[in-house]
Amino acid sequence: MELAKSFEPAAIEAHWYPRWESSGYFRATTTPDKDAYCIMLPPPNVTGTLHMGHSFQDTLMDTLVRYHRMKGENTLWQPGTDHAGIATQIVVERQLDAKGISRHDLGREKFLEKVWDWKEESGSTITRQMRRLGASCDWSRERFTMDEGLSTAVSEVFVKLYEQGLIYRGKRLVNWDPVLMTAVSDLEVISEEEDGFMWHICYPVEGCADALVVATTRPETMLGDMAVAVHPEDERYQHLVGKHVRLPLCERIIPIIADDYVDKEFGTGCVKITPAHDFNDYQVGLRHHLEPMSILTLDAKINDFAPAEYQGMERFEARKKIVADLEAQGLLVATKPHKLMVPRGDRTHTVIEPMLTDQWYVAMEGLAKRGLDVVAQGEVKFVPENWTHVYNQWLENIQDWCISRQLWWGHRIPAWYDEDGNFYVARNLADAQQQAGAGKTLRQDEDVLDTWFSSALWPFSTLGWPEQTAELKTFLPTSVLVTGFDIIFFWVARMIMMSLHFTDQVPFREVYVHGLVRDMHGNKMSKSKGNVIDPIDLIDGIALETLVKKRTTGLMNPKQAASIEKLTRKDFPEGIAAYGTDAVRFTFASLASHGRDIKFDFQRCEGYRNFCNKLWNATRFVMMNAEDKDCGQDESLPLQYSAMDKWIISRLQQAEQEVAEAFGSYRFDMAARAIYEFAWDEYCDWYVELAKVQLNSPRPQAGEGLGERDWEAQQRATRRTLVRVLETLLRLAHPIIPFITEELWQKVAPLANKSGESIMLQAYPLADSGKVDTAAVEQAAQLKEMVNACRTLRGEMNISPAQKVPLVVLGDISDLAPYIQALARISEVAIVQGELPDADAPVAVVGNVRLMLKIEIDKEAEQARLSKEIARLEGEIAKAHAKLGNESFVARAPAAVVEQEKERMASFGATLEKLRVQLAKLG
């Protein structure tokens, strides 16, 4: 039962997590006797490490899961990891590059063996780190997007969509990474403003002396121009529409077309149209039946469709030569500096090219309509609600989804080709062979599926689909998806569409969209900025020099490394302290307000570490006063609760209600605040001190007013209240701070007549309005106000905390006098009737009670203090008077609010009158 003198989080965390996991407390069942609650973990990259975004998100999910588990629900937090096609392949390729080997040297099969080896070596890092954070996932059900069951689901979905005419192969424009040599999604493209140039080029009109001047930031693409477009209402060029221009540097004639896409007010009002190398131009080309002509190879060199002098040149080298040749021929009108958005691959940082390639696509229109309908009908709700608009906007403007990637790591596309180029989509080679017929030699498509394809199936594939499992029946639809706003389209929308299509159910009922975790200055965290914080460093602490080394190792640019080192030393002059998991989790929860990015505040971390220490010390006090003593365990013995006991029990009901409402609306910040304020401000700072007064009251002697049995009943009730409110508080706080609450609960529970293996298995506290004693709440509020008034007087009179002074009170406060005497450092309390003694002593007014510290005072200082308080009250009265004199406020505000304002003004007036009398007495 003994509790250590100080809270040491590392030892407690190391003890409890393995015990929780090995005892099976995280495991869900498929029994139908309980309501089901399920959250799907957004699968992190299998070879990744935990970052602040993960930690924030995982804290919120674990809080919900622990809360619902304690509510008695059959709770599943489904964990798993994503194979992360591009990210993982790049890591392994770089490892091989360091040895002078390329993946092509190894061949596909050997290379994939290396990737699987790397996955086995580093694949458990992030799940180990999640355990450090206290994540109570059902690890017995952990999945991987390329495990056998999920791979079966992926093939089944592909084949069915193909059979339904929703998957097709076509040549269209995609984002192309010429280093990785693959199509990439929009999410893998980072567009940032860079300095460049705008080149103005003259295109001579065929058959006359006119010429059109077009402007471009990518002159090398002019080799693939198929038209020049003008706005149909632009009078300057209407006479030229239908004519042709000679394409500079090429032996080609291209048409002048009219299209609304052109902004006639921008530049010259003439736009070169290159359908094979620009997404907007591609759409213009479709409208005008222009044949796209690609002039780049897949590794971004000029191909054989261009003039011979440019063929084989790297694209940016070709740009220089083309500009020089245009200038030499007198066709370069101007070169102007220009800021432009440049799309770069998030992994390779190379400039992404729109490229015309053969790819596999999913037709999205019908799927999107159903996805829009379920949100409109409220079957899926977004929290905060404004994200519904973003979701709708994306789905209303949806394009077909390019699902193929030119990689080796991933789910290989289940399509086989014969020697004639015909393809057969099938679940396996045997099925494909049967489709092709005897004598055909088949080879499987070299491409793999977009990582987001398997991720879109996550809510139902992890539960065993395509088999109709008990898990699928029990947990789908899942309860809530916790995710960032950046993947609403890439992941959230696709899960909704795929789940509806294949299970006829929504994947989740609610989507809680959280903000982005930023650094202490509000900047986005990135390795290049050197401001990334490792959440494990927050838990364990890290020395400054180690932190500097961690942030700068591997940087090739010495200037960048020096800048990052300087920033690190400035922000963390003493390194990062060890805050422990609970303090870090409490910080995340306290910052999780709706719709806002989070500026991570280290001071809050420190504050919540102090909160944990406060809780620990309060528990030590309770145990010292409760162990081996009568805490009301015997329900047959009498109990006499004081007003202060009834107050803290009442206040606990309010906190329980506030926390339940906060969790119900995903206001983790409000839940954290309610727990913090109750634990620190009410229980520790007030009730523990009030309980000391009650417990220190001497046993009555024979013949004294209070009988011994009544005194014992009061003592018993105080200890019972101390213990039971603390035990309930620990359960209330457990979902957010699991480790310290478990450790303390194990010590406190027996004193509160509670038994069980773990706090995790206990019922979550529910508010009971029948336990609210309004009179006790009002009495406690009055007591607090009087104690604070005495403390304020002491502070203003510079009375030492060690010095006890007498107090004279005008008013009936006999029940509260012992508390005031103890908490306000009073030597004795004298209660008088009629008037306070005529003395130059400081006086405070609380309602109908006047409090006088019986000491000699500096008369001028007391006059100044009273004058200042009178001025403050006059200001408050003026504000309240203005509100009540505002017809709009009185008409629109709820009646209770108007009445409250009237009461405040009356109270201020009564206090003001008493202070004026006191000031008059001082002359």
Side-chain angles (χ1 to χ4, degrees), residues 637-785:
L637 293 175
L639 296 160
Q640 283 192 22
Y641 290 102
S642 71
M644 296 305 108
D645 297 333
K646 293 173 183 176
W647 160 69
I648 197 66
I649 292 168
S650 301
R651 183 65 185 82
L652 176 62
Q653 308 316 306
Q654 182 187 352
E656 290 169 350
Q657 185 64 32
E658 288 172 357
V659 172
E661 289 173 1
F663 282 151
S665 57
Y666 304 104
R667 287 303 302 265
F668 300 92
D669 55 333
M670 303 298 285
R673 188 170 81 177
I675 291 166
Y676 182 95
E677 288 179 353
F678 176 77
W680 188 301
D681 299 344
E682 310 286 28
Y683 184 79
C684 295
D685 277 2
W686 282 101
Y687 183 69
V688 166
E689 297 306 313
L690 297 170
K692 286 178 185 177
V693 176
Q694 295 173 181
L695 293 174
N696 290 333
S697 66
R699 182 182 290 272
Q701 300 300 311
E704 289 184 358
L706 184 69
E708 187 167 347
R709 288 192 57 159
D710 288 340
W711 178 83
E712 286 177 350
Q714 286 184 358
Q715 294 279 302
R716 185 180 299 120
T718 297
R719 289 196 187 93
R720 181 183 171 105
T721 304
L722 263 175
V723 165
R724 297 201 172 201
V725 170
L726 176 59
E727 186 276 333
T728 307
L729 168 59
L730 294 173
R731 285 185 284 126
L732 193 69
H734 176 76
I736 298 178
I737 46 174
F739 291 106
I740 189 173
T741 50
E742 179 74 271
E743 182 74 11
L744 297 180
W745 186 86
Q746 295 290 335
K747 305 291 193 294
V748 172
L751 302 173
N753 267 8
K754 291 277 185 180
S755 60
E757 296 174 9
S758 169
I759 192 173
M760 284 180 61
L761 308 179
Q762 302 303 304
Y764 198 74
L766 292 174
D768 181 352
S769 60
K771 292 181 178 179
V772 176
D773 188 318
T774 308
V777 171
E778 289 173 357
Q779 197 171 7
Q782 184 187 24
L783 171 63
K784 285 184 183 182
E785 206 172 343

Side-chain angles (χ1 to χ4, degrees), residues 66-93:
R66 287 178 182 271
Y67 169 62
H68 284 275
R69 190 183 286 124
M70 291 178 76
K71 284 179 70 180
E73 295 170 28
N74 180 20
T75 304
L76 170 62
W77 186 6
Q78 174 64 56
T81 49
D82 191 276
H83 65 280
I86 289 179
T88 306
Q89 178 161 322
I90 285 178
V91 170
V92 178
E93 284 202 61

Side-chain angles (χ1 to χ4, degrees), residues 229-232 257-265 269-271 273:
V230 297
H231 194 278
I257 60 174
D259 195 280
D260 290 336
Y261 161 65
V262 180
D263 179 359
K264 62 182 179 179
E265 306 301 328
C270 302
V271 177
I273 303 299

